[in-house]
Amino acid sequence: MGKAYNVMAATCPSRTVLHRIGARWTVFVVNALDDGPRRFTELKGHIQGITPKVLTETLRSLEADGLISRHTYEENPPHVEYALTPLGRSLLIPLRAVRLWAEEHVPDIEAARARQPNL
């Protein structure tokens, strides 16, 4: 049996994993790669509001964590494509559930906020 991890424990490495998944742009990049590999400019155009710097940092982090792969094509001009790894693809399942929940409950959240005068 494998080692038991507990995200509620202060020193558990699963916290790092959860932090990566919960990072602001991770959800968007992983979802943007759902349909297949994309170039940097395609990702930037698809994910509205992300800056090139933040996209670069997010891609590097996701690659370091083994969630995406980076493939360089030695063409003229050279280009790079990013794709989900099998590990990254497995993350789509829980992220889809969170995305659907968020989209479904926008009216509920907005109504709750409207009832709070100081928010």
Side-chain angles (χ1 to χ4, degrees), residues 43-65:
L43 286 168
K44 188 177 170 304
H46 189 70
I47 305 168
Q48 296 177 11
I50 194 167
T51 66
K53 178 181 184 265
V54 171
L55 179 56
T56 298
E57 291 168 355
T58 303
L59 290 168
R60 285 181 182 159
S61 296
L62 292 173
E63 184 182 10
D65 290 342

Side-chain angles (χ1 to χ4, degrees), residues 12-31:
C12 185
S14 63
R15 282 194 174 193
T16 303
V17 175
L18 192 58
H19 177 60
R20 166 65 53 233
I21 295 166
R24 179 171 182 194
W25 294 103
T26 295
V27 173
F28 299 104
V29 172
V30 171
N31 276 299

Side-chain angles (χ1 to χ4, degrees), residues 67-90:
L67 297 172
I68 65 168
S69 62
R70 180 181 188 272
H71 183 75
T72 304
Y73 292 89
E74 299 299 330
E75 299 173 348
N76 192 9
H79 73 272
V80 174
E81 282 187 347
Y82 299 90
L84 292 173
T85 62
L87 181 62
R89 191 151 290 288
S90 73

Side-chain angles (χ1 to χ4, degrees), residues 29-46:
V29 172
V30 171
N31 276 299
L33 293 171
D34 185 10
D35 294 334
R38 289 184 188 246
R39 295 168 79 163
F40 184 91
T41 53
E42 292 174 307
L43 286 168
K44 188 177 170 304
H46 189 70

Side-chain angles (χ1 to χ4, degrees), residues 1-6:
M1 186 171 180
K3 182 178 178 181
Y5 295 100
N6 178 357

